[in-house]
Amino acid sequence: MMSRSYTNLVDLATGNFPAMGREKKRFPRTMTVPGNIAELDDDQAYSVTSENPSSVTSDRMIIVGNQLPLKATRRPDDTGWSFSWNEDSLLLQLKDGFADDMEVFYVGLLKVSVDPSEQDDVSQTLLEKFKCVPTFLPSDILSKFYDGFCKRQLWPLFHYMLPFSAERGGHFDRSSWEAYISANKLFAQKVVEVLNPDDDYIWIHDYHLMVLPTFLRRRFNRVRMGFFLHSPFPSSEIYRTLPVRDEILKALLNSDVIGFHTFDYARHFLSCCSRMLGLEYQSKRGYIGLEYYGRTIGIKIMPVGVHMRRMESLMKQAEEEHGVEELREKFNGKTVLLGVDDLDIFKGVDLKILAMEQMLKQHPKWKGKAVLIQIVNPARGRGINIDQVMAEIQKNCRRINKEYGQPGYQPIIFINRPVLASERVAYYSIAECVVVTALRDGMNLTPYEYVACRQGYSDAESSLSLEGPKKSMLVISEFIGCSPSLSGAIRVNPWNVEATAEAMNEAIAANDSEKQWRHEKHYRYVSKHDVAYWSRSFLQDMGRICAEHFRKRCWGIGFGFGFRVVALDPNFRKLSIATILSDYTRAKARAILLDYDGTVKAQSSIMNSPSKDVVSILNTLCADPKNTVFIVSGRTKEILSKWFSPCEKLGIAAEHGYFLRWSQKEEWQVCSQNSDFGWMHITEPVMQLYTEATDGSSIEAKESALVWQYRDADLGFGSSQAKEMLDHLESVLANEPVSVKSGHFIVEVKPQGATKGAVAEKVFTAMAENGKQADFVLCIGDDRSDEDMFEIISSAVSRDTLSSNTAVFACTVGQKPSKARYYLDDTSEVRNMLESLAEASDSSPTQEEEEQEGLRSPRRTR
């Protein structure tokens, strides 16, 4: 039986989904004692420099990854399975950053295939002994999910390979995408089986599960959930080629925190959100946040580290099992360069081998002395061109060894077999330099491991204690995630074989003091920024951001991957016509302030002038003697005068309040004290400079302001230019009586004091001076400039501009963070509400009728 939330995905992936398999026995739900989330306003409490575990208190963390951190072997008598922890799994190691009393559950796949008849027993055993919840995927789904969509669609694309042909991943396969959805759906079901949504954290890992946040958020709007991507995230020019690009972005945005190893990966993700979803990010007090329907999605940038205690354990194991002294003796008199890579087209192993050949060619002194030991771990899946890559590597190794080898010496030693972590550490201990030439790699911890091993550990009798100064050298690709954090490494462009060869020569030819200071610099970083530091920091950010979300009212809207959670202030609610009508009909003096574009008229309208219906509604409102009605707009007074010429009694505030007219019979007033426009001669040349450099931008010259708009320019470039222009103008106009502000696709320079808030203040003051202090205020707007009005209204009572009994309705258009207390969804709802008020004005009682009714009931304060 298919769940209702699953059927919603039919809108996203056409065709029939693969069979979901028979219903499995549900695990008994694990209940917990409700935990507390500390208020996170104090930054000191959330410093990760301390060695103590995270101070965020919670009962449980559910870690979801593609594979469980377990090793599985079949029992010798073939009667079942034996399981043990995989000590090298990152998902297991990250527990060190959590509080000791935090209970950790794992959800993921097993590396072995378990017969369906054994799956229930295996599941129960793993839950009871390891707190692991295995996800079993049907074979057809597993193949298309992992080897299909993950390895042949996402993995190449995220490493900058476009699917131009079958040899480069093939064109988009809809059935693989459907299998990816199905697999993520099954993962979600397993998470739900052990989830206590009020108290648990969920931490999802890597590109295999990028749509999982949507499935979980659909079930639990307020669950605490983070996602960390361990692969690169490509630039928007690459990512936008993915046919399901929007679905994946929107699914990720259902997380509370999204983590990346480097700023480049985060920047590319933010650029995709900006270009494809129109979202903008902000940086505040060192934290990057992405506003999404009232929720601030935290963007975490933190490279993962190594587990230092595990490295020490492996060093001891290497001595006992892999003969470190024997290795040293074997390569005595040789200078060892080491490469450790998975078999993958993006690891650049072939380029590294060619660079070794080039080094021997350019520097013959290393012939017979320098040795490159290249360890290649087996491929993790059926990736692209694996066989061709292996054949190319082996061919080059044979050729170079034949040309430069001699009796007792081979320049390249190629190890093509699974190598245990402890054996890898043994090779680290004898290597003068580690070389990583990956073309793209999410992180790559090989350099970190090498630095930790070259430091050794405190044991006088150990051959790995490395008495005397500690030395290490790194030659690393500039395209891997660990590169920015290793500032002492020699960075190379791996495509430039000659430059890589020179870097390898420089590394092994460096004097001991240089090798020592480079090592010390790296070790200070690696030892401090270990895996516990990384997980502790991520959990603290999750706690801080979720605490803010919990202060808001949340509800889910949308279907399929269009689903999202809208979060609003607890006091922010939709304005109902029934609520406003009761106060409207009782009021004697009403102030109605309306923005125009995006409020009365939709922004996307082809015709910007008001319709006959809008004009009729405004005339009816203006005809009521109790009403003072104003259109408050950023447009020029000439345009507004022309458009609203049929509305004789309508007040108009043009150019954000610089000009004001109470009715058509009266003259325009200038509301600003600044009459010197010399600043325009400074501003216009600057704007002209950016206009010439930004295709699609233009300048709008108003009587009181200059506006640079880039609505038709490239979004990313236009936004970048706008930020640069803002800084430029603020600098050159620092001593001028103007304000420089950015808005929706605009940068505007206008006189100080010319704001919509000043218009509201002026209207309220004038009404009070005429003996008609407003007892009803309606103010509606849709953008940043209207927030000035909302702010003035909220403080007007304290300044006695409005009475404490005044019924105030400050309303924004759209469900978004605002200083207004009410919202309407769109311009059509605004018009419907105004039409209802107009009808009430037609039928409102006269003053004589009100006096006959006697005292009116007390007004409510809003």
Side-chain angles (χ1 to χ4, degrees), residues 497-513:
V497 172
E498 291 78 10
T500 304
E502 283 300 322
M504 293 164 66
N505 171 67
E506 179 186 346
I508 58 179
N511 57 51
D512 287 350
S513 61

Side-chain angles (χ1 to χ4, degrees), residues 184-243:
N184 276 250
K185 172 70 175 179
L186 288 171
F187 271 89
Q189 291 173 356
K190 292 301 180 182
V191 172
V192 170
E193 287 179 353
V194 292
L195 176 65
N196 185 347
D198 294 330
D199 300 303
D200 293 350
Y201 283 89
I202 302 173
W203 190 356
I204 303 167
H205 289 264
D206 224 0
Y207 65 97
H208 315 88
L209 303 171
M210 295 178 81
V211 300
L212 179 57
T214 284
F215 289 114
L216 296 174
R217 189 65 71 187
R218 287 183 66 87
R219 294 286 301 272
F220 309 105
N221 286 352
R222 299 173 71 86
V223 69
R224 306 173 185 92
M225 180 163 49
F227 179 92
F228 199 95
L229 182 66
H230 293 272
S231 78
F233 195 94
S235 70
S236 60
E237 293 304 312
I238 298 293
Y239 180 78
R240 69 199 301 183
T241 63
L242 186 64

